[in-house]
């Protein structure tokens, strides 16, 4: 008995000693900083002196009001960044998910020769750093670059991608002769006119959207591939014997079974696309004409360049709130549709934390593409 | 396949249709693979071209005249060796730090009964949901307060442990049967010794996964080094090459130089990828099953 309780107390000490380094590192460089930044977002700290306990004054929700409700440049910049990122999310998430799923189904085919080669080819962009791949894309999308050369073969006069601030939807409207805002010139949410909200992603942003789809589809392809391999071949074969065609088989047999993975990929996509920063930094900090500005970059710029730390921190927390809200919303949808609640173990230890590991892996993997 | 062997007549009937679909499928996949690979091939080719050649013939995979000027300049005019060294320093510390601290914590959370364990685990899970990009301003604030801003310490220490890695390790230890350790404990081995010389060697697959992910993550890390340093001497390859993109490099667009830098900085992760290719493809698979 005595020995047993000795082991128990040993375990208590060891348990804390083993976790202490990680707790310290995560606590000091993650938890504490977040609380500190939360305070800064309610203060007028200008970067001089210590942010806590120095001359910085509490200013209430002023920094939040500056970007959310107060009319002015700060609000318009924030509104612009939200608009840009919204279009980015709306295009990147469906495209990367569909492409990843398509690639996974293709490279999962048993009859396919050279599966390893194709998997490698599609996954490789996900391994490279965001910096390297952005440099490559800047080169591919120059006015006389590779992409425009190929468009030239097809008789299309390609745009000057990264220098073209015009909105894609505006350009489309112009085709039908609709070039002036008209009644849409009225101011809408966040200080932007309705006309501005309807601009669509700029041509420059479209190049960044291509970049994101290119770099993340491989990672998500692996997630789908794993799920497909879990399904195994029996069900697939059963469906074939029943005479289901390839398309019907995919939509009525495979896709429903992939639902959990599909939701994981959509969540990770949503989280990742709201965080795009590296590519914006590298392509000129929102240029051309602020049409590639994102909230993540705006928070950085407001703090580190304009030295309005409080406002920058406030933008970061609004972004945090957006991401958390979307994740919760997605979770709720997932829970409603979860067909096997029994598989969920009880208690925090057993919480499978929907795709948390996948999220972890993807985040660690994120290098490129802004998937976190 | 098994269907086919059971019903040979069926196989024959399907084969013509199957063959066309296979050929079409291959053509499509090959086209897609070219789209995925070509940017990298163009980058390598263009890094060996002259400025004018790279601009005039962006699609050619062979330079008109081979030029190593871009690489030459990277080692003479641009402090690429310093950036490379910094990247290696940071990456090695972060990788081994993560592997060690994450597996220690993961083991404790999986196997050791200590008061507060589920709280600690819940806290790490909560931390996992903080988006990385929201941490840029906070990290800078704390590094400045601790006097770590613009030092190797500030670049390395915040990355030494991460909730995601701890989670991966905990899940792996959960899957190892407890019997082995119990035997060791009965033999009188201490908890750390049991962990170090008995459990950890069994966790090799998970450790390798974590090693790969940490290496790749810290080698490719950009945003953290933007906010944790400002001296050019502390530039890693990512921040250094970023400064090439925005910086003044003399006449012309200098794409061969930039692309050469992009090519060089991709080599270590590419090597890692090809060495551990099987493991990488399987690691994400295992993680998803988890």
């Amino acid at each position: 008995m005595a020995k047993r309780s000795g082991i128990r107390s040993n375990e208590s000490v060891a348990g804390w000693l083993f976790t202490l380094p990680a707790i310290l590192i995560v606590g000091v460089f993650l938890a504490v900083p977040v609380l500190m930044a939360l305070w800064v977002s309610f203060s007028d700290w200008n970067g001089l002196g210590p942010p806590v306990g120095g001359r910085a004054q509490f200013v209430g929700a002023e920094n939040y009001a500056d970007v959310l409700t107060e009319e002015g440049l700060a609000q318009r910049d924030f509104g612009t960044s939200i608009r840009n990122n919204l279009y980015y999310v709306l295009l990147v998430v469906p495209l990367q998910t569909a492409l990843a799923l398509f690639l996974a189904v293709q490279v999962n085919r048993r009859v396919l020769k050279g599966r390893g080669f194709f998997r490698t080819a599609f996954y490789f962009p996900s391994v490279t750093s965001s910096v390297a791949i952005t440099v490559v894309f800047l080169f591919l999308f120059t006015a006389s670059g590779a992409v425009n050369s190929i468009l030239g073969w097809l008789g299309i006069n390609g745009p000057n991608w990264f220098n073209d601030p015009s909105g894609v939807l505006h350009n489309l409207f112009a085709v039908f002769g609709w070039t002036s805002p008209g009644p849409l010139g009225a101011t809408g949410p966040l200080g932007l006119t309705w006309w501005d909200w309807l601009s669509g992603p700029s041509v420059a942003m479209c190049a960044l959207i291509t970049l994101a789809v290119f770099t993340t589809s491989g990672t998500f392809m692996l997630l789908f591939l794993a799920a497909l391999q879990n399904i195994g071949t029996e069900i697939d074969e059963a469906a074939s014997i029943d005479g289901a065609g390839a398309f019907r088989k995919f939509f009525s047999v495979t896709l429903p079974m992939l639902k959990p993975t599909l939701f994981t990929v959509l969540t990770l996509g949503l989280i990742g696309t709201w965080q795009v920063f590296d590519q914006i930094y590298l392509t000129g900090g929102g240029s051309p004409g602020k049409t590639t500005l994102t909230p993540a970059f705006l928070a950085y710029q407001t703090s580190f360049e304009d030295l309005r730390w409080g406002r920058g921190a406030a933008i970061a927390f609004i972004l945090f709130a957006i991401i958390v809200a979307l994740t919760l919303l997605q979770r709720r949808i997932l829970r409603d549709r979860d067909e096997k609640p029994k598989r969920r173990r009880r208690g925090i230890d057993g919480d499978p934390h929907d795709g948390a590991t996948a999220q972890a892996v993807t985040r660690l993997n994120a290098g490129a593409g802004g998937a976190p | 396949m098994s269907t086919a062997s059971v019903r040979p007549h069926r196989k024959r009937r399907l084969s013509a249709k199957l063959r066309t679909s296979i050929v079409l499928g291959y053509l499509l996949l090959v086209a897609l693979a070219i789209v995925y690979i070509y940017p990298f091939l163009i980058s390598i080719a263009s890094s060996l071209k002259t400025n004018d050649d790279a601009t005039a013939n962006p699609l050619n995979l062979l330079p008109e005249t081979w030029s190593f000027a871009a690489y030459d300049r990277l080692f003479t005019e641009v402090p690429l060796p310093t950036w490379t060294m910094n990247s290696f320093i940071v990456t090695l510390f972060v990788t081994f730090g993560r592997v060690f601290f994450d597996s220690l914590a993961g083991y404790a959370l999986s196997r050791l009964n200590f008061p507060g364990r589920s709280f600690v685990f819940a806290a790490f899970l909560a931390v996992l949901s903080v988006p990385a990009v929201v941490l840029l301003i906070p990290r800078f604030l704390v590094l400045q307060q601790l006097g770590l801003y613009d030092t190797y310490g500030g670049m390395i220490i915040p990355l030494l442990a991460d909730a995601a890695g701890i989670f991966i390790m905990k899940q792996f230890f959960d899957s190892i049967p407890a019997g082995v350790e119990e035997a060791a404990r009965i033999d009188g081995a201490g908890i750390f010794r049991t962990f170090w010389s008995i459990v950890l060697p069994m966790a090799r697959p998970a450790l390798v996964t974590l090693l790969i992910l940490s290496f790749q993550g810290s080698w490719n890390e950009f945003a953290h080094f933007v906010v944790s340093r400002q001296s050019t001497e502390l530039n890693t390859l990512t921040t250094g090459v970023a400064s090439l993109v925005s910086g003044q490099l003399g006449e012309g667009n200098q794409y061969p130089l930039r692309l050469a830098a992009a090519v060089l900085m991709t080599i270590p992760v590419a090597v890692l990828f090809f060495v551990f290719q099987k493991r990488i493809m399987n690691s994400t698979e295992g993680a998803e099953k988890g």
Side-chain angles (χ1 to χ4, degrees), chain A residues 277-297:
Chain A
F277 173 86
D278 300 6
Q279 295 84 341
I280 310 302
Y281 184 104
L282 289 158
T283 55
S287 68
K290 294 183 183 175
T291 61
T292 61
L293 189 66
T294 61
F297 188 81

mmCIF file with all atom_site columns, all heavy atoms in Angstrom, chain A residues 277-297:
data_model
loop_
_atom_site.group_PDB
_atom_site.id
_atom_site.type_symbol
_atom_site.label_atom_id
_atom_site.label_alt_id
_atom_site.label_comp_id
_atom_site.label_asym_id
_atom_site.label_entity_id
_atom_site.label_seq_id
_atom_site.pdbx_PDB_ins_code
_atom_site.Cartn_x
_atom_site.Cartn_y
_atom_site.Cartn_z
_atom_site.occupancy
_atom_site.B_iso_or_equiv
_atom_site.pdbx_formal_charge
_atom_site.auth_seq_id
_atom_site.auth_comp_id
_atom_site.auth_asym_id
_atom_site.auth_atom_id
_atom_site.pdbx_PDB_model_num
ATOM 1   N N   . PHE A 1 277 ? -1.839 36.272 -44.675 1.00 0.00 ? 277 PHE A N   1
ATOM 2   C CA  . PHE A 1 277 ? -0.953 37.364 -44.276 1.00 0.00 ? 277 PHE A CA  1
ATOM 3   C C   . PHE A 1 277 ? 0.323  37.397 -45.123 1.00 0.00 ? 277 PHE A C   1
ATOM 4   O O   . PHE A 1 277 ? 0.639  38.399 -45.753 1.00 0.00 ? 277 PHE A O   1
ATOM 5   C CB  . PHE A 1 277 ? -0.593 37.213 -42.793 1.00 0.00 ? 277 PHE A CB  1
ATOM 6   C CG  . PHE A 1 277 ? 0.447  38.196 -42.314 1.00 0.00 ? 277 PHE A CG  1
ATOM 7   C CD1 . PHE A 1 277 ? 0.087  39.459 -41.885 1.00 0.00 ? 277 PHE A CD1 1
ATOM 8   C CD2 . PHE A 1 277 ? 1.801  37.848 -42.298 1.00 0.00 ? 277 PHE A CD2 1
ATOM 9   C CE1 . PHE A 1 277 ? 1.043  40.368 -41.457 1.00 0.00 ? 277 PHE A CE1 1
ATOM 10  C CE2 . PHE A 1 277 ? 2.769  38.751 -41.880 1.00 0.00 ? 277 PHE A CE2 1
ATOM 11  C CZ  . PHE A 1 277 ? 2.382  40.007 -41.449 1.00 0.00 ? 277 PHE A CZ  1
ATOM 12  N N   . ASP A 1 278 ? 1.043  36.271 -45.142 1.00 0.00 ? 278 ASP A N   1
ATOM 13  C CA  . ASP A 1 278 ? 2.351  36.217 -45.819 1.00 0.00 ? 278 ASP A CA  1
ATOM 14  C C   . ASP A 1 278 ? 2.274  36.743 -47.255 1.00 0.00 ? 278 ASP A C   1
ATOM 15  O O   . ASP A 1 278 ? 3.085  37.571 -47.670 1.00 0.00 ? 278 ASP A O   1
ATOM 16  C CB  . ASP A 1 278 ? 2.874  34.776 -45.863 1.00 0.00 ? 278 ASP A CB  1
ATOM 17  C CG  . ASP A 1 278 ? 3.057  34.176 -44.483 1.00 0.00 ? 278 ASP A CG  1
ATOM 18  O OD1 . ASP A 1 278 ? 2.673  34.832 -43.499 1.00 0.00 ? 278 ASP A OD1 1
ATOM 19  O OD2 . ASP A 1 278 ? 3.583  33.051 -44.398 1.00 0.00 ? 278 ASP A OD2 1
ATOM 20  N N   . GLN A 1 279 ? 1.298  36.230 -48.002 1.00 0.00 ? 279 GLN A N   1
ATOM 21  C CA  . GLN A 1 279 ? 1.199  36.578 -49.421 1.00 0.00 ? 279 GLN A CA  1
ATOM 22  C C   . GLN A 1 279 ? 0.896  38.059 -49.604 1.00 0.00 ? 279 GLN A C   1
ATOM 23  O O   . GLN A 1 279 ? 1.375  38.686 -50.553 1.00 0.00 ? 279 GLN A O   1
ATOM 24  C CB  . GLN A 1 279 ? 0.095  35.740 -50.087 1.00 0.00 ? 279 GLN A CB  1
ATOM 25  C CG  . GLN A 1 279 ? 0.383  34.253 -50.128 1.00 0.00 ? 279 GLN A CG  1
ATOM 26  C CD  . GLN A 1 279 ? -0.002 33.544 -48.832 1.00 0.00 ? 279 GLN A CD  1
ATOM 27  O OE1 . GLN A 1 279 ? -0.149 34.174 -47.782 1.00 0.00 ? 279 GLN A OE1 1
ATOM 28  N NE2 . GLN A 1 279 ? -0.164 32.244 -48.895 1.00 0.00 ? 279 GLN A NE2 1
ATOM 29  N N   . ILE A 1 280 ? 0.118  38.633 -48.679 1.00 0.00 ? 280 ILE A N   1
ATOM 30  C CA  . ILE A 1 280 ? -0.226 40.053 -48.779 1.00 0.00 ? 280 ILE A CA  1
ATOM 31  C C   . ILE A 1 280 ? 1.019  40.890 -48.505 1.00 0.00 ? 280 ILE A C   1
ATOM 32  O O   . ILE A 1 280 ? 1.311  41.862 -49.200 1.00 0.00 ? 280 ILE A O   1
ATOM 33  C CB  . ILE A 1 280 ? -1.329 40.415 -47.750 1.00 0.00 ? 280 ILE A CB  1
ATOM 34  C CG1 . ILE A 1 280 ? -2.483 39.439 -47.829 1.00 0.00 ? 280 ILE A CG1 1
ATOM 35  C CG2 . ILE A 1 280 ? -1.794 41.848 -47.956 1.00 0.00 ? 280 ILE A CG2 1
ATOM 36  C CD1 . ILE A 1 280 ? -3.145 39.325 -49.166 1.00 0.00 ? 280 ILE A CD1 1
ATOM 37  N N   . TYR A 1 281 ? 1.774  40.476 -47.477 1.00 0.00 ? 281 TYR A N   1
ATOM 38  C CA  . TYR A 1 281 ? 3.021  41.161 -47.130 1.00 0.00 ? 281 TYR A CA  1
ATOM 39  C C   . TYR A 1 281 ? 3.946  41.170 -48.347 1.00 0.00 ? 281 TYR A C   1
ATOM 40  O O   . TYR A 1 281 ? 4.551  42.189 -48.678 1.00 0.00 ? 281 TYR A O   1
ATOM 41  C CB  . TYR A 1 281 ? 3.680  40.420 -45.966 1.00 0.00 ? 281 TYR A CB  1
ATOM 42  C CG  . TYR A 1 281 ? 4.934  41.070 -45.418 1.00 0.00 ? 281 TYR A CG  1
ATOM 43  C CD1 . TYR A 1 281 ? 4.897  41.769 -44.212 1.00 0.00 ? 281 TYR A CD1 1
ATOM 44  C CD2 . TYR A 1 281 ? 6.159  40.956 -46.080 1.00 0.00 ? 281 TYR A CD2 1
ATOM 45  C CE1 . TYR A 1 281 ? 6.027  42.354 -43.698 1.00 0.00 ? 281 TYR A CE1 1
ATOM 46  C CE2 . TYR A 1 281 ? 7.301  41.540 -45.566 1.00 0.00 ? 281 TYR A CE2 1
ATOM 47  C CZ  . TYR A 1 281 ? 7.241  42.229 -44.375 1.00 0.00 ? 281 TYR A CZ  1
ATOM 48  O OH  . TYR A 1 281 ? 8.373  42.805 -43.869 1.00 0.00 ? 281 TYR A OH  1
ATOM 49  N N   . LEU A 1 282 ? 4.044  40.028 -49.018 1.00 0.00 ? 282 LEU A N   1
ATOM 50  C CA  . LEU A 1 282 ? 5.016  39.878 -50.101 1.00 0.00 ? 282 LEU A CA  1
ATOM 51  C C   . LEU A 1 282 ? 4.587  40.548 -51.397 1.00 0.00 ? 282 LEU A C   1
ATOM 52  O O   . LEU A 1 282 ? 5.417  40.873 -52.235 1.00 0.00 ? 282 LEU A O   1
ATOM 53  C CB  . LEU A 1 282 ? 5.262  38.382 -50.358 1.00 0.00 ? 282 LEU A CB  1
ATOM 54  C CG  . LEU A 1 282 ? 6.056  37.701 -49.248 1.00 0.00 ? 282 LEU A CG  1
ATOM 55  C CD1 . LEU A 1 282 ? 5.813  36.209 -49.257 1.00 0.00 ? 282 LEU A CD1 1
ATOM 56  C CD2 . LEU A 1 282 ? 7.536  38.002 -49.413 1.00 0.00 ? 282 LEU A CD2 1
ATOM 57  N N   . THR A 1 283 ? 3.279  40.745 -51.583 1.00 0.00 ? 283 THR A N   1
ATOM 58  C CA  . THR A 1 283 ? 2.847  41.344 -52.845 1.00 0.00 ? 283 THR A CA  1
ATOM 59  C C   . THR A 1 283 ? 2.572  42.835 -52.683 1.00 0.00 ? 283 THR A C   1
ATOM 60  O O   . THR A 1 283 ? 1.855  43.427 -53.480 1.00 0.00 ? 283 THR A O   1
ATOM 61  C CB  . THR A 1 283 ? 1.590  40.645 -53.405 1.00 0.00 ? 283 THR A CB  1
ATOM 62  O OG1 . THR A 1 283 ? 0.579  40.670 -52.394 1.00 0.00 ? 283 THR A OG1 1
ATOM 63  C CG2 . THR A 1 283 ? 1.872  39.214 -53.787 1.00 0.00 ? 283 THR A CG2 1
ATOM 64  N N   . GLY A 1 284 ? 3.136  43.423 -51.650 1.00 0.00 ? 284 GLY A N   1
ATOM 65  C CA  . GLY A 1 284 ? 3.081  44.883 -51.550 1.00 0.00 ? 284 GLY A CA  1
ATOM 66  C C   . GLY A 1 284 ? 2.086  45.418 -50.534 1.00 0.00 ? 284 GLY A C   1
ATOM 67  O O   . GLY A 1 284 ? 1.649  46.558 -50.626 1.00 0.00 ? 284 GLY A O   1
ATOM 68  N N   . GLY A 1 285 ? 1.705  44.606 -49.549 1.00 0.00 ? 285 GLY A N   1
ATOM 69  C CA  . GLY A 1 285 ? 0.895  45.107 -48.440 1.00 0.00 ? 285 GLY A CA  1
ATOM 70  C C   . GLY A 1 285 ? -0.465 45.643 -48.843 1.00 0.00 ? 285 GLY A C   1
ATOM 71  O O   . GLY A 1 285 ? -0.885 46.701 -48.374 1.00 0.00 ? 285 GLY A O   1
ATOM 72  N N   . GLY A 1 286 ? -1.165 44.939 -49.724 1.00 0.00 ? 286 GLY A N   1
ATOM 73  C CA  . GLY A 1 286 ? -2.524 45.346 -50.069 1.00 0.00 ? 286 GLY A CA  1
ATOM 74  C C   . GLY A 1 286 ? -2.628 45.988 -51.435 1.00 0.00 ? 286 GLY A C   1
ATOM 75  O O   . GLY A 1 286 ? -3.718 46.202 -51.940 1.00 0.00 ? 286 GLY A O   1
ATOM 76  N N   . SER A 1 287 ? -1.479 46.289 -52.049 1.00 0.00 ? 287 SER A N   1
ATOM 77  C CA  . SER A 1 287 ? -1.521 46.899 -53.365 1.00 0.00 ? 287 SER A CA  1
ATOM 78  C C   . SER A 1 287 ? -2.019 45.869 -54.381 1.00 0.00 ? 287 SER A C   1
ATOM 79  O O   . SER A 1 287 ? -1.882 44.672 -54.153 1.00 0.00 ? 287 SER A O   1
ATOM 80  C CB  . SER A 1 287 ? -0.144 47.407 -53.756 1.00 0.00 ? 287 SER A CB  1
ATOM 81  O OG  . SER A 1 287 ? 0.728  46.317 -53.969 1.00 0.00 ? 287 SER A OG  1
ATOM 82  N N   . PRO A 1 288 ? -2.554 46.265 -55.487 1.00 0.00 ? 288 PRO A N   1
ATOM 83  C CA  . PRO A 1 288 ? -2.800 47.644 -55.916 1.00 0.00 ? 288 PRO A CA  1
ATOM 84  C C   . PRO A 1 288 ? -4.080 48.223 -55.319 1.00 0.00 ? 288 PRO A C   1
ATOM 85  O O   . PRO A 1 288 ? -5.070 47.504 -55.184 1.00 0.00 ? 288 PRO A O   1
ATOM 86  C CB  . PRO A 1 288 ? -2.951 47.483 -57.436 1.00 0.00 ? 288 PRO A CB  1
ATOM 87  C CG  . PRO A 1 288 ? -3.517 46.109 -57.607 1.00 0.00 ? 288 PRO A CG  1
ATOM 88  C CD  . PRO A 1 288 ? -2.930 45.280 -56.489 1.00 0.00 ? 288 PRO A CD  1
ATOM 89  N N   . GLY A 1 289 ? -4.006 49.494 -54.956 1.00 0.00 ? 289 GLY A N   1
ATOM 90  C CA  . GLY A 1 289 ? -5.186 50.217 -54.475 1.00 0.00 ? 289 GLY A CA  1
ATOM 91  C C   . GLY A 1 289 ? -5.908 49.555 -53.319 1.00 0.00 ? 289 GLY A C   1
ATOM 92  O O   . GLY A 1 289 ? -7.130 49.575 -53.273 1.00 0.00 ? 289 GLY A O   1
ATOM 93  N N   . LYS A 1 290 ? -5.163 48.951 -52.404 1.00 0.00 ? 290 LYS A N   1
ATOM 94  C CA  . LYS A 1 290 ? -5.743 48.303 -51.206 1.00 0.00 ? 290 LYS A CA  1
ATOM 95  C C   . LYS A 1 290 ? -6.688 47.153 -51.558 1.00 0.00 ? 290 LYS A C   1
ATOM 96  O O   . LYS A 1 290 ? -7.443 46.691 -50.707 1.00 0.00 ? 290 LYS A O   1
ATOM 97  C CB  . LYS A 1 290 ? -6.495 49.321 -50.338 1.00 0.00 ? 290 LYS A CB  1
ATOM 98  C CG  . LYS A 1 290 ? -5.575 50.358 -49.716 1.00 0.00 ? 290 LYS A CG  1
ATOM 99  C CD  . LYS A 1 290 ? -6.324 51.301 -48.822 1.00 0.00 ? 290 LYS A CD  1
ATOM 100 C CE  . LYS A 1 290 ? -5.354 52.372 -48.285 1.00 0.00 ? 290 LYS A CE  1
ATOM 101 N NZ  . LYS A 1 290 ? -6.021 53.399 -47.511 1.00 0.00 ? 290 LYS A NZ  1
ATOM 102 N N   . THR A 1 291 ? -6.665 46.679 -52.803 1.00 0.00 ? 291 THR A N   1
ATOM 103 C CA  . THR A 1 291 ? -7.633 45.642 -53.170 1.00 0.00 ? 291 THR A CA  1
ATOM 104 C C   . THR A 1 291 ? -7.208 44.253 -52.715 1.00 0.00 ? 291 THR A C   1
ATOM 105 O O   . THR A 1 291 ? -7.961 43.299 -52.886 1.00 0.00 ? 291 THR A O   1
ATOM 106 C CB  . THR A 1 291 ? -7.881 45.592 -54.688 1.00 0.00 ? 291 THR A CB  1
ATOM 107 O OG1 . THR A 1 291 ? -6.652 45.298 -55.340 1.00 0.00 ? 291 THR A OG1 1
ATOM 108 C CG2 . THR A 1 291 ? -8.455 46.886 -55.190 1.00 0.00 ? 291 THR A CG2 1
ATOM 109 N N   . THR A 1 292 ? -5.983 44.107 -52.190 1.00 0.00 ? 292 THR A N   1
ATOM 110 C CA  . THR A 1 292 ? -5.623 42.805 -51.618 1.00 0.00 ? 292 THR A CA  1
ATOM 111 C C   . THR A 1 292 ? -5.376 42.919 -50.115 1.00 0.00 ? 292 THR A C   1
ATOM 112 O O   . THR A 1 292 ? -4.858 41.995 -49.493 1.00 0.00 ? 292 THR A O   1
ATOM 113 C CB  . THR A 1 292 ? -4.373 42.185 -52.288 1.00 0.00 ? 292 THR A CB  1
ATOM 114 O OG1 . THR A 1 292 ? -3.267 43.074 -52.090 1.00 0.00 ? 292 THR A OG1 1
ATOM 115 C CG2 . THR A 1 292 ? -4.583 41.978 -53.768 1.00 0.00 ? 292 THR A CG2 1
ATOM 116 N N   . LEU A 1 293 ? -5.744 44.075 -49.555 1.00 0.00 ? 293 LEU A N   1
ATOM 117 C CA  . LEU A 1 293 ? -5.599 44.263 -48.114 1.00 0.00 ? 293 LEU A CA  1
ATOM 118 C C   . LEU A 1 293 ? -6.520 43.289 -47.380 1.00 0.00 ? 293 LEU A C   1
ATOM 119 O O   . LEU A 1 293 ? -7.673 43.116 -47.762 1.00 0.00 ? 293 LEU A O   1
ATOM 120 C CB  . LEU A 1 293 ? -5.996 45.705 -47.768 1.00 0.00 ? 293 LEU A CB  1
ATOM 121 C CG  . LEU A 1 293 ? -5.734 46.204 -46.360 1.00 0.00 ? 293 LEU A CG  1
ATOM 122 C CD1 . LEU A 1 293 ? -4.238 46.267 -46.098 1.00 0.00 ? 293 LEU A CD1 1
ATOM 123 C CD2 . LEU A 1 293 ? -6.347 47.591 -46.189 1.00 0.00 ? 293 LEU A CD2 1
ATOM 124 N N   . THR A 1 294 ? -5.985 42.613 -46.351 1.00 0.00 ? 294 THR A N   1
ATOM 125 C CA  . THR A 1 294 ? -6.826 41.718 -45.543 1.00 0.00 ? 294 THR A CA  1
ATOM 126 C C   . THR A 1 294 ? -6.777 42.181 -44.086 1.00 0.00 ? 294 THR A C   1
ATOM 127 O O   . THR A 1 294 ? -5.850 42.891 -43.705 1.00 0.00 ? 294 THR A O   1
ATOM 128 C CB  . THR A 1 294 ? -6.312 40.264 -45.604 1.00 0.00 ? 294 THR A CB  1
ATOM 129 O OG1 . THR A 1 294 ? -4.972 40.239 -45.078 1.00 0.00 ? 294 THR A OG1 1
ATOM 130 C CG2 . THR A 1 294 ? -6.310 39.726 -47.020 1.00 0.00 ? 294 THR A CG2 1
ATOM 131 N N   . PRO A 1 295 ? -7.759 41.786 -43.269 1.00 0.00 ? 295 PRO A N   1
ATOM 132 C CA  . PRO A 1 295 ? -7.752 42.201 -41.861 1.00 0.00 ? 295 PRO A CA  1
ATOM 133 C C   . PRO A 1 295 ? -6.452 41.796 -41.150 1.00 0.00 ? 295 PRO A C   1
ATOM 134 O O   . PRO A 1 295 ? -5.922 42.563 -40.347 1.00 0.00 ? 295 PRO A O   1
ATOM 135 C CB  . PRO A 1 295 ? -8.937 41.467 -41.252 1.00 0.00 ? 295 PRO A CB  1
ATOM 136 C CG  . PRO A 1 295 ? -9.806 41.108 -42.388 1.00 0.00 ? 295 PRO A CG  1
ATOM 137 C CD  . PRO A 1 295 ? -8.936 40.975 -43.593 1.00 0.00 ? 295 PRO A CD  1
ATOM 138 N N   . ALA A 1 296 ? -5.949 40.597 -41.450 1.00 0.00 ? 296 ALA A N   1
ATOM 139 C CA  . ALA A 1 296 ? -4.716 40.141 -40.801 1.00 0.00 ? 296 ALA A CA  1
ATOM 140 C C   . ALA A 1 296 ? -3.569 41.096 -41.116 1.00 0.00 ? 296 ALA A C   1
ATOM 141 O O   . ALA A 1 296 ? -2.809 41.494 -40.230 1.00 0.00 ? 296 ALA A O   1
ATOM 142 C CB  . ALA A 1 296 ? -4.367 38.731 -41.255 1.00 0.00 ? 296 ALA A CB  1
ATOM 143 N N   . PHE A 1 297 ? -3.451 41.493 -42.379 1.00 0.00 ? 297 PHE A N   1
ATOM 144 C CA  . PHE A 1 297 ? -2.368 42.403 -42.715 1.00 0.00 ? 297 PHE A CA  1
ATOM 145 C C   . PHE A 1 297 ? -2.646 43.804 -42.196 1.00 0.00 ? 297 PHE A C   1
ATOM 146 O O   . PHE A 1 297 ? -1.729 44.482 -41.729 1.00 0.00 ? 297 PHE A O   1
ATOM 147 C CB  . PHE A 1 297 ? -2.119 42.446 -44.231 1.00 0.00 ? 297 PHE A CB  1
ATOM 148 C CG  . PHE A 1 297 ? -0.879 43.228 -44.561 1.00 0.00 ? 297 PHE A CG  1
ATOM 149 C CD1 . PHE A 1 297 ? 0.366  42.629 -44.462 1.00 0.00 ? 297 PHE A CD1 1
ATOM 150 C CD2 . PHE A 1 297 ? -0.954 44.569 -44.898 1.00 0.00 ? 297 PHE A CD2 1
ATOM 151 C CE1 . PHE A 1 297 ? 1.520  43.365 -44.705 1.00 0.00 ? 297 PHE A CE1 1
ATOM 152 C CE2 . PHE A 1 297 ? 0.198  45.308 -45.142 1.00 0.00 ? 297 PHE A CE2 1
ATOM 153 C CZ  . PHE A 1 297 ? 1.427  44.698 -45.050 1.00 0.00 ? 297 PHE A CZ  1
#
